[in-house]
Amino acid sequence: GDQVEQSPSALSLHEGTDSALRCNFTTTMRSVQWFRQNSRGSLISLFYLASGTKENGRLKSAFDSKERRYSTLHIRDAQLEDSGTYFCAAEDYGGSGNKLIFGTGTLLSVKP
Amino acid sequence: NAGVIQTPRHKVTGKGQEATLWCEPISGHSAVFWYRQTIVQGLEFLTYFRNQAPIDDSGMPKERFSAQMPNQSHSTLKIQSTQPQDSAVYLCASSLTGMEVFFGKGTRLTVV
């Protein structure tokens, strides 16, 4: 079946540094959504992309518009409050549509 | 906008008992989803309604699990004869069809 491969599985950053998370898809996807799950378990939507790039503050996400088989999330100037688990989720073209297939998550820890 | 509301936030049931989980989607959203999250399996799709009609229940265990959406303002997930392996966080989400998906805070089900 469709798979979403997310990397890295864990990431430790010092405050002020930059990094990137990536999701590869085994098939062409219609859209991608990035979430952060906080310590209480709430899934907060960061970005929804059907193509191109979006930026919000220190976060920027891109969805490969040609092959539609990968997406990235860039974190600039990491802060302590960025810590949490980040998930990408993709919607494929087949089936009923709109069903999200989740990656396995990236556990991000930002240290002083 | 209160977001997607799930009740209860925590539920403990004895093995063999029934559990009913409730979800109130964001007003005006036509699509409602149920997901389950465990440490081992990650985030798994269960079922999906569009305009209250069941569209895709491919993720639902064939026995004991059922979902309903009797009106546009709420959906229920019922688990009969709960088993310890049903313990998980059950997440409800809603969206306008084909658009960004928003999640509730989840119901943590513990079967003892």
Side-chain angles (χ1 to χ4, degrees):
Chain A
D2 298 340
Q3 284 192 329
V4 176
E5 300 165 351
Q6 187 171 347
S7 62
S9 57
L11 182 61
S12 181
L13 297 176
H14 286 291
E15 271 187 302
T17 59
D18 306 344
S19 192
L21 314 181
R22 182 177 174 110
C23 279
N24 292 325
F25 314 128
T26 57
T27 189
T28 301
M29 295 295 187
R30 181 194 303 267
S31 67
V32 65
Q33 198 165 345
W34 285 90
F35 297 90
R36 177 171 58 228
Q37 189 165 43
N38 61 22
S39 58
R40 296 181 186 178
S42 296
L43 272 171
I44 309 299
S45 179
L46 299 174
F47 295 105
Y48 168 82
L49 297 102
S51 66
T53 63
K54 285 188 178 178
E55 192 166 357
N56 184 3
R58 296 176 293 99
L59 300 180
K60 181 177 179 179
S61 183
F63 181 30
D64 162 43
S65 300
K66 286 187 178 179
E67 301 293 326
R68 310 183 73 80
R69 296 191 64 163
Y70 73 88
S71 176
T72 55
L73 176 68
H74 293 262
I75 303 171
R76 177 176 53 82
D77 184 25
Q79 301 297 305
L80 297 178
E81 61 263 30
D82 295 332
S83 295
T85 303
Y86 289 75
F87 290 95
C88 67
E91 178 195 355
D92 67 14
Y93 280 98
S96 57
N98 217 197
K99 176 176 74 178
L100 292 175
I101 305 163
F102 278 84
T104 51
T106 296
L107 178 60
L108 174 64
S109 176
V110 181
K111 303 179 189 302
Chain B
N1 184 350
V4 177
I5 299 172
Q6 289 190 248
T7 54
R9 293 295 316 279
H10 302 272
K11 187 172 182 65
V12 179
T13 63
K15 182 179 173 181
Q17 292 184 326
E18 181 177 289
T20 299
L21 312 181
W22 296 74
C23 172
E24 180 181 331
I26 293 171
S27 178
H29 280 190
S30 50
V32 174
F33 308 85
W34 285 96
Y35 288 81
R36 173 169 68 178
Q37 186 175 25
T38 61
I39 298 292
V40 174
Q41 298 294 332
L43 279 149
E44 301 176 281
F45 167 79
L46 294 177
T47 190
Y48 161 43
F49 295 87
R50 186 192 304 146
N51 296 321
Q52 299 172 233
I55 301 297
D56 182 350
D57 67 354
S58 58
M60 292 277 273
K62 294 308 176 191
E63 297 178 357
R64 302 185 298 106
F65 281 64
S66 63
Q68 311 279 338
M69 191 160 185
N71 57 60
Q72 63 185 7
S73 64
H74 90 272
S75 175
T76 57
L77 179 67
K78 184 179 293 185
I79 309 171
Q80 295 178 310
S81 184
T82 54
Q83 302 298 310
Q85 61 265 30
D86 299 332
S87 296
V89 176
Y90 290 82
L91 292 157
C92 179
S94 72
S95 75
L96 295 170
T97 302
M99 301 297 286
E100 186 174 9
V101 177
F102 296 91
F103 280 81
K105 295 181 179 181
T107 294
R108 180 175 296 278
L109 176 68
T110 303
V111 182
V112 298

